[in-house]
Amino acid sequence: MALFSRRNHTAAPAADVAQSAVATPGVDPALAALTGDYVIDPSHSSIGFTVRHAMVTNVRGSFAEHEGTLHLDGRDPARSTASIDVKIASVSTGIADRDAHLRSGDFFDAEAFPLMTFRSTSAAHVGGDTYRISGDLTIKDVTRPLSIDLEFAGSATDVYGNERVGFEGSAEILRSDWGLTWNAALEAGGVMVSDKVKLTFDISAIKQA
């Protein structure tokens, strides 16, 4: 299935479909109609993480404040791009003391490094509705490559007339690669916080006029 082809609820305007079909023979008109610039809707999106704690359980958290843009190219999905900025101080795990520790110099040092950013460099079809977007993730002024597998969840026009697209995805990183090395040894062996972190993305984005 081609990128963005699972279209929900609404059809592209006839004029747009006709123009797309003429301009790019062989491309699914519904796919081509999704081409454009989008803004991530933070009130209906989430960027989260899961990390192993004390070797026995998982702690989950998220970043409440983030913004970003997408450019989707339905004619040539490899030309699609993404840019996301996450406010580190908005980290939340549900425990105030733990959140304060994460914002401190032991971890993110949110005062000195207020943003975590992702800038895409390429996109590729993996199979079915799954696509891989690769780029540069920057945390604490350390920039390293990251690939995120995303599943296209569909598109729809909401009750306010906004055309939306949705994506769900995840990636795994080693936090030490970005200088997040704080830890504490456990008496029985092992460490307090795992190096491996799972990042999760649930994105709703609105097409711009």
Side-chain angles (χ1 to χ4, degrees), residues 1-8 26-32 34 73-78 124-132 150-155 166-167:
M1 183 181 291
L3 180 61
F4 318 132
S5 61
R6 180 150 52 85
R7 189 170 175 81
N8 298 333
V27 172
D28 181 347
L31 172 105
L34 292 179
D73 193 324
R75 298 173 181 84
D76 183 2
H125 182 214
V126 175
D129 286 329
T130 302
Y131 296 82
R132 180 168 295 141
L150 294 168
E151 180 180 357
F152 175 58
S155 66
F167 298 90

Side-chain angles (χ1 to χ4, degrees), residues 9-208:
H9 305 307
T10 59
D16 290 346
V17 169
Q19 182 178 5
S20 298
V22 171
T24 315
V27 172
D28 181 347
L31 172 105
L34 292 179
T35 297
D37 295 318
Y38 293 75
V39 171
I40 293 174
D41 176 7
S43 63
H44 294 94
S45 303
S46 64
I47 296 176
F49 60 88
T50 303
V51 62
R52 199 78 172 161
H53 176 262
M55 310 294 291
V56 297
T57 190
N58 290 316
V59 169
R60 293 174 174 83
S62 63
F63 296 92
E65 297 182 39
H66 51 83
E67 60 184 24
T69 58
L70 308 175
H71 175 75
L72 305 184
D73 193 324
R75 298 173 181 84
D76 183 2
R79 298 176 62 183
S80 299
T81 61
S83 175
I84 301 174
D85 293 340
V86 177
K87 188 174 181 181
I88 292 297
S90 71
V91 65
S92 175
T93 63
I95 303 295
D97 287 346
R98 183 166 58 205
D99 296 344
H101 192 197
L102 289 172
R103 289 190 291 267
S104 76
D106 282 346
F107 284 95
F108 288 111
D109 196 357
E111 185 173 349
F113 306 100
L115 291 179
M116 173 172 60
T117 66
F118 177 79
R119 301 290 184 264
S120 69
T121 56
S122 66
H125 182 214
V126 175
D129 286 329
T130 302
Y131 296 82
R132 180 168 295 141
I133 188 160
S134 299
D136 295 323
L137 177 67
T138 300
I139 306 174
K140 296 181 71 173
D141 277 358
V142 176
T143 300
R144 295 182 61 88
L146 175 68
S147 292
I148 305 168
D149 284 352
L150 294 168
E151 180 180 357
F152 175 58
S155 66
T157 300
D158 66 22
V159 296
Y160 302 105
N162 298 311
E163 185 172 3
R164 292 178 178 268
V165 292
F167 298 90
E168 300 174 19
S170 63
E172 289 188 350
I173 65 171
L174 297 179
R175 61 188 179 90
S176 59
D177 287 344
W178 280 267
L180 302 174
T181 57
W182 183 91
N183 228 320
L186 301 175
E187 287 187 10
V191 292
M192 182 70 73
V193 184
S194 67
D195 192 20
K196 183 168 69 176
V197 180
K198 181 179 181 181
L199 304 176
T200 56
F201 305 86
D202 196 342
I203 301 298
S204 177
I206 299 172
K207 192 173 188 179
Q208 303 301 285

